């Protein structure tokens, strides 16, 4: 039957799970020879997702806009619509950015679509909040009914921002039997609102969902920007639920103003611990086609490689930031007196999120951190450092980088670029610039024991000192057999990364 009806409709067609939602069980079929496979695949997915394998087939409107109308109906026969939302920017048939009102719907078309949505709700005696979804064909200026969601939608805040109504409060009151407190002519839309869905997913890896612990989640507090959050630092994002972790909604007098406010708020949003789509959302908001209101439902898929491309971190300067992060101490008192000597530095060996292996040499001199890499050399001046941020100067410009650490993984967000690095090794002490004659601190910490004295004979592997850092004790061992020539620290000393602890007599 599906095959026969598809032939009547004409290709392309959409095969869709009748019990579906969220883009699951949907397949676009361009030609008859693709249909049988699409039906089998959609049916299998529908059965798995909804326990119902039934399908429907309909015309596929290419280049369409996804436009939905918010309706409210009470128990007293009153029903109104609250304008439309445009939800055309989607990936895998799931919404990413939504806005109200739609940039392609005229006032006359808004009234026509609103009236159709109200008529649909009244036809079934509907009560409460609901959303009637349409496909809008911009070329023909026609709209087609998709479905009705008998609930509030994820994107309802954009309607709240342009109407000034609290839809959750209104839904509860209507459910308690109260009449709607306004009529259709009293509904007005003020300004423009745009919502972005922040997902724990990696756009560069086909929107692969991410799971794990949230190291930190910081949001800005900005006028006309609202955050609806489902996580906080320390929470676990599990594999059992949708990867959306927050919604960010901005309101402006104009669409461009709302778009700019939303992009600015996202830039100041820091989610560490999981790959996420923050930078992808910013790319969408700043995209020329979206800025002009021209992006349709297939836009992301057609431009995915460009939109999902990560901004490359800033070369050697970014590696200098990595080096500064790996110094387990605030820049200031602990680094006072450091000099430009060969021992005031360490090799950097990390692997980035793309699996690329990076090696560099980090040199420290007071507040200055230099990274020497095959691509060049750069020096930053660290002005201040906290547990999650570094304020620094590079080429006469002052910036702030945010970071998080978990074990041997470091994440840095700086100058519009994010990257995750796995610290493969901070190099054994024997490789830290002093050869086999010097034992150096592999990290900043407290010397809790010094077990050797000048002149003492030691064997390779013998513990010479213990340092406590990050609530863990680290035993430092002799790199070879020999005798102690000099001890540079004592128990109770606070030492910096790569500080000399013990020097061995030179081998004859």
């Amino acid at each position: 039957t599906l095959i026969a009806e598809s032939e009547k409709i004409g290709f392309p067609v959409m095969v869709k799970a009748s019990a579906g939602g969220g883009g699951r069980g949907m397949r676009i079929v361009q030609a008859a020879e693709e249909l049988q496979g699409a039906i089998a695949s959609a049916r299998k997915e529908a059965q798995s997702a909804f326990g119902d394998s039934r399908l429907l087939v309909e015309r596929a409107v290419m280049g369409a806009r996804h436009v939905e109308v918010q309706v409210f109906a009470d128990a007293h026969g009153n029903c109104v619509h609250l304008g439309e939302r445009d939800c055309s920017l989607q990936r895998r048939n799931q919404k990413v950015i939504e806005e109200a009102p739609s940039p392609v719907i005229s006032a006359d078309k808004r009234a026509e679509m609103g009236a159709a949505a109200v008529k649909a709700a009244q036809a079934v005696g509907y009560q409460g909040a609901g959303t009637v979804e349409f496909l809008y064909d911009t070329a023909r200026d026609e709209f087609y009914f998709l479905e009705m969601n008998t609930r509030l939608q994820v994107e309802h805040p954009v309607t709240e921002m342009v109407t000034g109504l609290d839809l959750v409060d209104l839904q509860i009151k209507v459910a308690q039997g109260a009449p709607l407190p306004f009529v259709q002519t009293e509904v007005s839309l003020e300004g423009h609102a745009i919502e972005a869905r922040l997902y724990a997913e990696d756009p560069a890896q086909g929107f692969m969902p991410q799971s794990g612990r949230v190291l930190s989640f910081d949001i800005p507090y900005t006028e006309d920007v609202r955050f609806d959050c489902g996580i906080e630092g320390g929470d676990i994002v599990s594999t059992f639920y949708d990867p959306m972790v927050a919604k960010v909604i901005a309101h402006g007098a104009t669409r461009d103003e709302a778009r700019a406010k939303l992009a600015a708020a996202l830039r100041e949003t820091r989610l560490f611990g999981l790959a996420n789509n923050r930078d992808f959302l910013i790319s969408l908001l700043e995209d020329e086609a979206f800025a002009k209101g021209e992006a349709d439902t297939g836009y992301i898929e057609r431009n995915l490689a460009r939109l999902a491309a990560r901004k490359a971190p800033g070369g050697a300067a970014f590696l200098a930031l990595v080096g500064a992060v790996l110094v387990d101490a605030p820049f200031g008192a602990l680094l006072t007196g450091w000099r430009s000597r060969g021992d005031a530095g360490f090799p950097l060996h990390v692997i980035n999120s793309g699996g690329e292996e990076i090696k560099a040499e980090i040199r420290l001199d007071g507040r200055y951190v230099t990274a020497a890499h095959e691509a060049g050399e750069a020096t930053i001046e660290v002005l201040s450092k906290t547990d999650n941020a570094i304020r620094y100067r590079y080429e006469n410009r002052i910036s702030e980088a945010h970071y998080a650490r978990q074990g041997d993984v470091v994440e840095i967000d700086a100058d519009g670029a994010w990257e995750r690095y796995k610290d493969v090794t901070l190099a054994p002490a024997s490789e830290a610039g002093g050869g086999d004659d010097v034992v150096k601190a592999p990290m900043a910490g407290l010397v809790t024991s010094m077990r050797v004295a000048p002149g003492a004979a030691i064997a390779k592997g013998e513990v010479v000192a213990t340092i406590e850092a990050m609530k863990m004790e680290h035993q430092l061992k002799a790199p070879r057999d020999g005798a102690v020539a000099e001890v540079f620290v004592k128990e109770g000393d606070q030492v910096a990364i790569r500080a000399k602890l013990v020097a061995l007599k030179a081998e004859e």
Side-chain angles (χ1 to χ4, degrees):
T1 300
L2 292 172
I3 292 173
E5 293 301 319
S6 295
E7 295 287 354
K8 292 179 184 177
I9 294 171
F11 293 92
V13 297
M14 173 75 80
V15 175
K16 186 176 182 181
S18 65
R24 289 167 293 184
M26 290 173 57
R27 302 291 185 274
I28 290 179
V29 183
Q30 300 286 352
E33 57 268 21
E34 302 171 8
L35 188 56
Q36 194 143 4
I39 290 171
S41 176
R43 181 167 285 148
K44 184 176 179 181
E45 186 175 4
Q47 181 64 42
S48 174
F50 313 112
D52 187 339
S53 64
R54 289 176 297 172
L55 304 177
L56 58 87
V57 63
E58 60 190 24
R59 173 182 291 169
V61 181
M62 309 309 292
R65 303 296 288 255
H66 184 129
V67 180
E68 59 190 33
V69 177
Q70 179 73 62
V71 296
F72 254 96
D74 61 24
H76 306 278
N78 304 306
C79 186
V80 300
H81 73 84
L82 305 179
E84 84 286 353
R85 299 185 286 259
D86 195 307
C87 308
S88 298
L89 276 181
Q90 303 178 11
R91 55 66 176 141
R92 296 186 315 207
N93 297 313
Q94 292 184 319
K95 301 165 188 174
V96 179
I97 289 180
E98 305 100 348
E99 58 184 310
S102 169
V104 297
I105 299 297
S106 65
D108 288 346
K109 187 60 66 174
R110 176 175 301 115
E112 184 182 349
M113 294 178 80
V118 167
K119 185 176 180 180
Q122 290 175 324
V124 294
Y126 189 75
Q127 293 181 25
T131 305
V132 182
E133 299 193 353
F134 299 100
L135 273 184
Y136 175 63
D137 188 335
T138 55
R140 298 178 179 177
D141 192 26
E142 294 179 353
F143 59 91
Y144 306 91
F145 174 78
L146 274 177
E147 64 184 7
M148 182 178 186
N149 282 289
T150 54
R151 53 178 171 82
L152 282 182
Q153 299 270 88
V154 171
E155 58 272 20
H156 77 272
V158 294
T159 298
E160 292 186 327
M161 281 193 152
V162 295
T163 61
L165 298 170
D166 183 334
L167 301 191
V168 177
D169 178 69
L170 188 61
Q171 184 181 40
I172 292 171
K173 288 177 178 176
V174 167
Q176 291 173 331
L180 287 171
F182 51 82
V183 296
Q184 188 67 62
T185 55
E186 295 175 308
V187 176
S188 62
L189 308 181
E190 299 292 334
H192 202 96
I194 308 177
E195 173 182 290
R197 300 189 187 193
L198 187 63
Y199 286 104
E201 65 182 15
D202 190 346
Q205 300 296 323
F207 301 101
M208 182 71 69
Q210 306 290 300
S211 61
R213 184 176 298 278
V214 178
L215 297 184
S216 62
F217 182 46
D218 299 306
I219 60 175
Y221 292 91
T222 309
E223 186 177 3
D224 295 329
V225 178
R226 162 179 166 179
F227 281 80
D228 289 2
C229 304
I231 58 164
E232 58 185 20
D235 283 353
I236 298 291
V237 176
S238 78
T239 59
F240 303 111
Y241 302 100
D242 185 278
M244 186 173 68
V245 295
K247 302 183 293 184
V248 190
I249 312 100
H251 181 268
T254 65
R255 184 173 185 267
D256 277 344
E257 183 180 315
R259 188 171 59 87
K261 286 180 178 179
L262 183 54
L266 285 167
R267 280 196 193 89
E268 295 182 39
T269 300
R270 321 285 175 194
L271 171 56
F272 288 123
L274 299 160
N276 59 83
N277 71 332
R278 186 204 65 169
D279 293 347
F280 175 69
L281 294 172
I282 295 171
S283 293
L284 287 175
L285 292 168
E286 295 180 341
D287 184 79
E288 183 179 358
F290 179 76
K292 293 179 178 179
E294 297 173 351
D296 59 33
T297 54
Y299 188 76
I300 289 179
E301 185 177 350
R302 294 194 303 271
N303 297 276
L304 182 58
R306 174 176 59 84
L307 293 168
R310 285 201 186 100
K311 180 180 178 182
F318 209 90
L319 294 178
L321 274 173
V322 178
V325 167
L326 292 175
V327 175
D328 287 320
F331 277 71
L334 186 59
L335 297 185
T336 300
W338 281 34
R339 299 292 183 263
S340 297
R341 301 185 305 233
D343 59 83
F346 55 91
L348 180 71
H349 184 191
V350 294
I351 295 176
N352 66 16
S353 60
E356 179 187 5
E357 190 171 343
I358 300 170
K359 292 184 179 181
E361 182 71 24
I362 303 296
R363 299 194 300 272
L364 307 167
D365 182 14
R367 292 183 176 274
Y368 294 90
V369 182
T370 300
H373 181 249
E374 60 183 12
E377 183 172 302
T379 299
I380 65 171
E381 179 188 4
V382 177
L383 304 176
S384 63
K385 180 182 178 184
T386 67
D387 289 340
N388 57 23
I390 292 179
R391 190 166 170 265
Y392 66 99
R393 188 195 314 273
Y394 176 61
E395 295 183 338
N396 294 320
R397 185 166 68 94
I398 294 176
S399 303
E400 189 171 59
H402 295 258
Y403 69 93
R405 293 184 62 182
Q406 183 178 43
D408 60 358
V409 174
V410 176
E411 293 182 49
I412 300 181
D413 183 359
D415 201 23
W418 169 93
E419 187 55 276
R420 173 184 290 132
Y421 297 97
K422 179 177 176 60
D423 184 10
V424 177
T425 173
L426 203 53
S430 62
E431 299 174 13
D436 286 347
D437 290 338
V438 182
V439 176
K440 295 184 179 182
M443 63 191 66
L446 177 71
V447 178
T448 55
S449 72
M450 177 54 64
R451 302 191 186 184
V452 296
I458 56 174
K460 181 179 180 180
E462 181 179 340
V463 176
V464 298
T466 304
I467 290 180
E468 183 182 280
M470 299 177 71
K471 300 181 181 179
M472 295 181 63
E473 281 201 335
H474 303 266
Q475 293 183 334
L476 308 180
K477 300 176 181 180
R480 62 171 173 83
D481 296 341
V484 176
E486 191 174 359
V487 175
F488 299 95
V489 297
K490 62 182 183 300
E491 289 185 14
D493 282 355
Q494 186 78 34
V495 296
I497 188 170
R498 290 300 187 241
K500 287 182 178 180
L501 305 180
V502 175
L504 306 185
K505 290 182 180 179
E507 292 182 291
E508 295 182 0

